Amino acid sequence: MKINFKPCGNSAFDELTSIRISPPRALPEFRHDGRAGIEFQYTLSINEEIIDGFGISGFREITKENGERIETYTLEISHESTINRILQLKQRIGNTDSEFEFIAGIAKGMVSVFTESESNIFAQRHIAITNHKALDRKNIEIPAQNSAITDDSIILAESYTPPHPVPDLTP
């Protein structure tokens, strides 16, 4: 059973398992490198009954591309306890994807919750990454076709949300 989350309003939904990932609660987090971070707290449910939840560390960067401001939110799925929780969910629902495919599928759902948002005035990019060390600790094989953004980071999923500027309401 291949997990395949698709945007559904302000959430992401997998038809095969009926799992819905709700938009996360975002809380400030202090990162070990001294930068300000964000903890994204996701809940997963089936028929409105919560079946699991994940706290994912991340951060925000603001860049300009072709004169357009882009807010990039990076979600780091590399903490051992997070990977363990995702793999426990895989086992509980009887999923037969490879461990890497399942983690990437959950990551796709996590970034997909933002794609249909209309409350952002600037373009947003959401990227879920992991790293070789985190996957090696769990003996998870990495498919050869996966792209890396640095020597160690692996992109699991990404999404883009176009800007929705506030309309000018002056007469």
Side-chain angles (χ1 to χ4, degrees):
M1 118 176 93
K2 184 97 171 142
I3 199 157
N4 185 23
F5 284 95
K6 295 183 180 175
C8 182
N10 69 345
S11 64
F13 185 72
D14 175 59
E15 287 185 14
L16 196 56
T17 61
S18 297
I19 295 175
R20 180 174 307 279
I21 299 178
S22 298
R25 185 167 78 167
L27 299 173
E29 177 181 73
F30 298 100
R31 300 172 56 82
H32 65 277
D33 61 7
R35 293 185 298 163
I38 303 168
E39 180 182 1
F40 297 91
Q41 296 180 346
Y42 287 90
T43 57
L44 287 71
S45 60
I46 296 177
N47 298 323
E48 299 187 27
E49 182 180 326
I50 294 174
I51 61 164
D52 215 328
F54 304 108
I56 308 292
S57 293
F59 58 92
R60 178 181 89 152
E61 294 178 308
I62 298 173
T63 59
K64 279 201 172 199
E65 292 180 21
N66 301 321
E68 176 183 49
R69 176 182 162 147
I70 299 179
E71 297 177 329
T72 300
Y73 293 87
T74 302
L75 288 71
E76 299 173 313
I77 302 176
S78 54
H79 197 277
E80 188 171 4
S81 64
T82 302
I83 292 173
N84 285 341
R85 295 274 305 263
I86 293 171
L87 295 177
Q88 289 167 0
L89 174 64
K90 176 186 182 321
Q91 186 176 15
R92 276 197 329 261
I93 66 172
N95 181 278
T96 59
D97 293 347
S98 73
E99 291 175 332
F100 183 88
E101 288 174 324
F102 189 78
I103 293 168
I106 294 294
K108 179 183 175 189
M110 290 178 175
V111 299
S112 292
V113 304
F114 301 102
T115 59
E116 293 185 358
S117 173
E118 294 184 5
S119 63
N120 55 304
I121 60 172
F122 300 108
Q124 292 183 345
R125 180 176 294 125
H126 291 83
I127 302 171
I129 63 171
T130 190
N131 60 59
H132 290 278
K133 291 176 194 166
L135 299 179
D136 286 346
R137 281 193 303 263
K138 302 300 294 175
N139 295 316
I140 297 172
E141 290 187 38
I142 304 163
Q145 75 272 17
N146 255 80
S147 60
I149 52 177
T150 67
D151 290 341
D152 190 43
S153 295
I154 301 164
I155 297 174
L156 295 169
E158 56 186 314
S159 69
Y160 175 82
T161 308
H164 295 90
V166 177
D168 184 7
L169 301 176
T170 57

